[in-house]
Amino acid sequence: MAFSLLSWCRHRSIQASRRLKRPYSLTDEAFLKDADAAALQKRLESAIGFLQEAVLLPIDKRLPGRPFEFDMAVFPCKPTVLMIGNHSSGKSTFINRMMGVQVQETGVAPTDDGFTILERSEEHEQFEDGPTLTGCSENKAFRELQRFGRSFLGHCRRKRMVLPKDAELPYGLQLVDTPGMIDLPGNNQTSSKARGYNFVEVVRWWAKRSDLILLLFDPDKPGTTGETLEVLTKSLAGLDHKFLVVLNKVDQLDNNVDFARAFGTLGWALSKVIPQKDIPMVWTMYNERNGSKRPPHENELPLEAFAANRNAVVREVLRAKVRHWDNIVTSLEECLRQSDMLSRMCNKVRESAKQQISRAWRGAALMLSLPFFVAAFIGHGRFSGGLATAWSQGSGVVSLLSQLAVLCVLLCFVVLGLTLDQLRQFDRIQMSHGGLDTMFESVYHDIFIHTGGEDLRVRWATVRPLLEAMLKSVKSPTQLPLIESWELDRIAEILEEDIWYLRQVAKRLRPAEPKMPEGHPPRGVAPTEPVAAVGRPEAKRREGREAREANQAAQAAQAVEAGVTGSLSEP
């Protein structure tokens, strides 16, 4: 009786230790209604920090290589917009237009070889290099940039500028200008060898922490370069909700044929790297330089409509501050879901490897024991008088027994070699794409019965490289850690309850929507009447056609009149 009571108490204490001890209440609706912005932000930061420390961090520390070490939110942090694209795609020009001053160098050739963080300052201008930036108190996450090495820090800087009052860039928003992506000179060179640091991993780090990603293309180079292909398939994987595809510099095109070719080439290139039926929306725009406008001609494109598109892109940039806290909650949710999937797959791979090893050694033991049983049976029938009698029969028996012993030893080595080779083959099959995909299907078999599980398959495309890297780092899959079921249950509980609560807090923290630039309706709202910026070019073209037709009719009438007059004057 006493032993049962002690066991029950121990079980209850273990359950209590595994229960989440939240420093906040999920049912405190009064706090959500009455708290100010500072209290809401403090609650959100403390809640996210608690969930990362209590749930994500213990799992991440046990996984080989700590795959989620740099995916966790670090506070404080500022809203960020990442600008990436081919060289001479207009990234720096777009930034200069938003800042109202010439901050970044522009040109047709590559002009910037590093990552530049640009912010608006109220008092004085400040320039910081990469090593100094890692100690930034306003963005503690910058210290993680040290893991990319001194070479990268030598190509990273921050500029804080005092801007004109009418500058579009608001306070508290930082723009990140990146080096233009280009084709590498050699087919055997990777991005890290060509630049001195892993460009794809650096872009991935910034992309995860950005609230908006602008991917710009140039009409002269609407296709995807080698680095652009890597960035789209690796750096931006799983971040579709953040990035906008922009076809910039459309004012350089002469007519509709050139525009159709550039737009079609870009759409074809994107379809090759984005394995989906629907490609992302492509924003077409241009940047006026110093207020200059292109002289009109007969086949002029509707530049005012493209200028309205630029206003819409600017509005999305300004909305980065609005969506900042929602993006942080979304990143936490995705990190939890990836951790859950990776933990389940680790358990499956580990369990499958242990079962295979157990089956292999049981088969080896059976193969080894069978000859011994046969020899014992034959020996028992032939030498029924026992070992002393067999020994007295002469050296022939001793020779036979020694031969049997040698054969048994050789058989042991053969069976051992076959067993080890079988286990190695199993490891190779298990670590292949096909083997891991089969295990993934078996883990989520119950979900795939009624649904296609496309969201799980998309997430699996991101998690699978992490699992493959972990398998390569261990000698045997059995060395993978075991993630207990109660830890997975806590992740499911957080996804069900805490994420919803954090989204309510983030919703209360949203600032007012930025004012819409003139001449363009809010995104997602259909205008009640045609937009003037789009209607004016169409009216101009119609007026031009009418003027040309009237001119041609007048010329034809003059020709007819001249012909009639000439015929009357002839003798």
Side-chain angles (χ1 to χ4, degrees), residues 46-306:
S46 63
I48 293 176
F50 165 75
L51 295 177
Q52 292 179 162
E53 291 286 339
V55 179
L56 277 176
L57 197 59
I59 296 178
D60 181 66
K61 286 183 176 180
R62 286 148 55 196
L63 296 175
R66 300 195 60 182
F68 303 107
E69 180 181 5
F70 300 106
D71 290 346
M72 302 183 191
V74 179
F75 301 106
C77 58
K78 287 185 178 181
T80 305
V81 177
L82 179 65
M83 313 281 295
I84 57 178
N86 299 340
H87 74 90
S88 184
S89 59
K91 301 185 300 296
S92 298
T93 303
F94 181 81
I95 290 175
N96 291 338
R97 289 283 298 177
M98 286 205 65
M99 301 190 74
V101 292
Q102 186 76 13
V103 179
Q104 295 292 93
E105 295 293 332
T106 60
V108 177
T111 57
D112 197 350
D113 64 343
F115 288 75
T116 306
I117 301 100
L118 300 118
E119 295 182 42
R120 184 171 187 172
S121 177
E122 297 182 4
E123 300 178 355
H124 58 277
E125 297 184 354
Q126 184 180 10
F127 299 88
E128 297 176 328
D129 57 11
T132 305
L133 185 64
T134 57
C136 175
S137 59
E138 299 91 0
N139 289 275
K140 288 188 176 180
F142 284 169
R143 73 181 70 178
E144 297 177 2
L145 294 173
Q146 295 176 352
R147 72 187 182 101
F148 297 114
R150 301 289 299 181
S151 178
F152 167 74
L153 294 179
H155 294 80
C156 184
R157 65 193 68 90
R158 181 170 73 162
K159 299 179 181 179
R160 306 184 70 182
M161 308 289 294
V162 177
L163 304 180
K165 294 182 179 180
D166 58 348
E168 295 175 332
L169 184 66
Y171 294 101
L173 178 64
Q174 56 187 11
L175 305 179
V176 181
D177 192 10
T178 62
M181 294 179 287
I182 57 178
D183 284 319
L184 301 176
N187 294 330
N188 59 345
Q189 277 193 309
T190 61
S191 178
S192 58
K193 292 181 179 180
R195 294 187 183 271
Y197 58 90
N198 195 325
F199 178 78
V200 174
E201 286 296 325
V202 172
V203 173
R204 178 70 175 174
W205 186 91
W206 281 109
K208 286 184 176 181
R209 286 153 184 81
S210 297
D211 300 289
L212 180 68
I213 306 168
L214 292 186
L215 180 59
L216 289 87
F217 291 93
D218 185 354
D220 292 337
K221 301 174 287 295
T224 54
T225 65
E227 279 189 324
T228 309
L229 175 63
E230 280 191 287
V231 167
L232 284 172
T233 55
K234 297 179 181 179
S235 300
L236 303 183
L239 302 175
D240 302 6
H241 63 288
K242 287 186 178 182
F243 70 84
L244 300 180
V245 180
V246 178
L247 179 60
N248 200 13
K249 296 185 176 181
V250 294
D251 59 327
Q252 296 181 356
L253 302 172
D254 292 329
N255 49 49
N256 295 332
V257 176
D258 291 344
F259 176 79
R261 287 175 178 172
F263 194 90
T265 302
L266 177 58
W268 179 84
L270 291 175
S271 67
K272 296 300 180 181
V273 296
I274 300 178
Q276 296 178 1
K277 181 178 179 181
D278 301 321
I279 63 173
M281 179 179 177
V282 179
W283 296 81
T284 53
M285 69 174 213
Y286 73 101
N287 293 306
E288 296 180 1
R289 299 182 180 180
N290 300 325
S292 62
K293 294 185 178 180
R294 185 171 180 169
H297 52 82
E298 291 185 359
N299 295 325
E300 184 182 6
L301 292 170
L303 296 183
E304 296 185 13
F306 297 143

